Amino acid sequence: MNPFAARRARLAAGMEPGAVAVLATAPEVARNSDSDYPYRHDSYFYYLTGFTEPESVLVLVAAQSDAPARSILFCREKNVEREIWDGFRYGPEAARDTFGFDAAYPIGELDAHMARLLADVPVLYYALAHNAALDAQVAGWLKTVRAQARSGVAAPARTAHLLALLDEMRLLKDETEQGVMLRAATIAGAAHVRAMRAARPGMFEYELEAELLYEFRRNGAQFPAYTPIVAAGANACILHYSANNAQTVEGDLVLIDAGCEFDSYASDITRTFPVSGRFSEAQRILYELVLRAQDAALRAIVPGRPYSDVHEAALAVLAEGMLDVGLLDRTTWGSVDNVLAERAYSPFYMHGTGHWLGLDVHDSGSYRDLAAAGKPSRPLVPGMALTVEPGIYVRPGPGVPERFWNIGIRIEDDVIVDATGARVLSGSAPKTVLEIETLMAER
């Protein structure tokens, strides 16, 4: 069984017997009067189908005592004339055979089939309030089925949120997914290396961005996973900086947060390096502090430990370091415990230490155990994929040592939780001071 068919079977097995699930892919979006934005399918839809064409809908019918589960695809018809203009399309028959559906029909027949498929069904699962067009279609289908009540036909009495089931499934990556994610991280790591080798004082941030994008595409990545951040000097203290239009100067650190999407899976890597090739003393002090924080966070990734331990491990190191280097006054704050309790670190570190990673850069899945009392942080489980990305960002201000002003540093890696701990996917991108300075000295 192919992995997509296996996922459909798992989802159907988790549904109420005889229930129906409907999931639509993403629509095409016009960019201007004569072209669309590059098409990207819906991640949930792709997870279950592997099918990347627009105007597609998946219907799953859960098994019941007298019938097995079924998967049905609705997609565009084969159209040779349109293929001359827009490229290959499978059509229902080829899509059914290639992707392992039980049946496939033209998308234009969806409404007619759904009126039949929803008759006497106990529950309809779909992405509630996720797609306005689908919400309207669902309302029409239910109205059509309810109109048959005098004939003894019942419409679904309940609707359920389909994505809640899929979020839990997507949280654990199988071997196929992990292999694709490793490839995405390897490509992104090579792009970061390329940018470091290309960097020279006086270059514009967008020139380094071009090096990244070239390396992504040259190695087969279909898209950047998100808009790259290439932030030199003070721009690195802007967390979601995206202008990428400033000129670098001698002495700048450059923070690059960039990943690619390969076969629908994202990588997400951040490296920070001196554009001149060597760290200043102040830059080195803060950089090595962030690196120690990341090491502590990586060591906290152990099956069974709560996800929150990753952030707390990084915070403890950063808080101690802020006291040691004078970013926080030890006389005022006293101990690390006080710094943590009062969030005194937050002017210099204001974000979490990571997030789930997968088909989306910030991938689906709850960070808490929603079934447990108090909803505590969920335990780590082998197969989870996440980023680990501590940072430090120093803006000028009263009491802030001037030598650290306008230094922004983040170090981010992509990680799979395995049976013993963290398996880093993005290790090809250098990150120690020695590794970075050695690489840049070879330019």
Side-chain angles (χ1 to χ4, degrees):
M1 182 181 290
N2 72 54
F4 302 103
R7 292 169 195 159
R8 295 194 294 269
R10 282 175 53 206
L11 176 60
M15 293 162 52
E16 188 170 319
V20 168
V22 179
L23 183 63
T25 196
E28 294 177 293
V29 179
R31 184 180 186 275
N32 55 34
S33 62
D34 196 38
S35 67
D36 293 338
Y37 284 101
Y39 182 69
R40 191 353 177 118
H41 44 268
D42 177 80
S43 293
Y44 292 101
F45 182 86
Y46 178 82
Y47 180 75
L48 291 175
T49 66
F51 195 67
T52 60
E53 293 184 14
E55 298 182 74
S56 304
V57 173
L58 171 67
V59 178
L60 287 180
V61 181
Q64 49 189 336
S65 59
D66 59 346
R70 291 180 292 146
S71 63
I72 305 166
L73 178 72
F74 293 86
C75 65
R76 300 180 303 184
E77 293 187 80
K78 191 74 174 172
N79 186 319
V80 175
E81 182 177 353
R82 288 312 314 167
E83 289 184 58
I84 293 171
W85 292 91
D86 302 325
F88 175 79
R89 58 174 67 179
Y90 279 93
E93 291 186 10
R96 179 196 63 210
D97 296 340
T98 302
F99 296 93
F101 299 103
D102 296 301
Y105 302 103
I107 188 66
E109 298 179 9
L110 176 64
D111 289 343
H113 280 274
M114 290 309 300
R116 172 181 56 83
L117 289 168
L118 291 178
D120 296 321
V121 164
V123 185
L124 170 62
Y125 293 81
Y126 79 103
L128 298 170
H130 185 70
N131 181 319
L134 182 62
D135 286 340
Q137 278 188 294
V138 167
W141 299 335
L142 295 177
K143 184 177 180 180
T144 299
V145 178
R146 288 171 184 147
Q148 304 173 59
R150 291 186 179 183
S151 301
V153 175
R158 292 182 290 116
T159 57
H161 190 45
L162 177 62
L163 302 191
L165 297 178
L166 287 172
D167 285 345
E168 288 301 296
M169 290 176 60
R170 284 177 56 183
L171 191 56
L172 299 183
K173 275 61 179 181
D174 60 32
E175 290 186 8
T176 299
E177 292 176 289
Q178 291 181 32
V180 177
M181 292 182 70
L182 175 60
R183 178 63 178 151
T186 301
I187 294 171
H192 281 265
V193 169
R194 184 182 188 92
M196 290 180 193
R197 285 183 170 148
R200 301 288 191 283
M203 290 184 72
F204 284 86
E205 293 163 341
Y206 56 73
E207 294 180 85
L208 294 175
E209 181 183 11
E211 299 289 340
L212 298 165
L213 298 177
Y214 173 80
E215 194 70 14
F216 290 166
R217 199 69 188 103
R218 188 176 77 88
N219 285 287
Q222 291 84 3
F223 304 101
Y226 49 94
T227 300
I229 296 169
V230 183
N235 293 334
C237 296
I238 303 170
L239 298 184
H240 290 163
Y241 177 77
S242 62
N244 297 352
N245 59 7
Q247 188 173 24
T248 65
V249 299
E250 183 77 28
D252 273 352
L253 284 182
V254 179
L255 185 158
I256 294 182
D257 187 337
C260 64
E261 183 174 295
F262 180 80
D263 287 358
S264 301
Y265 284 81
S267 53
D268 185 2
I269 302 173
T270 306
R271 292 293 185 264
T272 309
F273 60 90
V275 71
S276 61
R278 294 192 66 82
F279 290 86
S280 70
E281 180 185 5
Q283 291 168 350
R284 181 190 297 264
I285 287 170
L286 294 187
Y287 187 91
E288 291 185 336
L289 170 57
V290 175
L291 194 60
R292 291 196 303 274
Q294 194 203 37
D295 181 64
L298 288 169
R299 286 186 281 108
I301 296 175
V302 177
R305 288 185 65 172
Y307 172 82
S308 59
D309 279 7
V310 179
H311 180 57
E312 290 169 5
L315 270 183
V317 173
L318 289 172
E320 181 67 51
M322 289 176 194
L323 291 169
D324 289 343
V325 305
L327 285 175
L328 296 176
D329 181 64
R330 194 176 287 275
T331 302
T332 301
W333 295 105
S335 68
V336 170
D337 288 344
N338 288 338
V339 170
L340 296 175
E342 299 298 323
R343 294 179 54 84
Y345 57 83
S346 59
F348 308 111
Y349 183 52
M350 62 294 292
H351 61 76
T353 305
H355 52 79
W356 303 135
L357 183 69
L359 285 166
D360 296 320
V361 176
H362 286 251
D363 209 35
S364 62
S366 174
Y367 293 89
R368 296 184 175 276
D369 184 350
L370 301 179
K375 300 180 181 179
S377 180
R378 73 184 309 153
L380 295 169
V381 174
M384 289 177 170
L386 63 151
T387 67
V388 180
E389 51 175 312
I392 199 162
Y393 315 90
V394 186
R395 296 173 179 271
V400 178
E402 188 172 351
R403 65 178 178 150
F404 296 133
W405 285 7
N406 295 319
I407 293 177
I409 296 166
R410 185 163 62 254
I411 305 170
E412 179 180 22
D413 280 296
D414 301 346
V415 172
I416 296 287
V417 182
D418 65 18
T420 58
R423 177 161 63 94
V424 177
L425 303 180
S426 48
S428 60
K431 66 179 177 181
T432 69
V433 168
L434 178 60
E435 288 171 342
I436 291 171
E437 290 188 342
T438 299
L439 173 69
M440 299 187 74
E442 298 170 353
R443 295 175 297 174

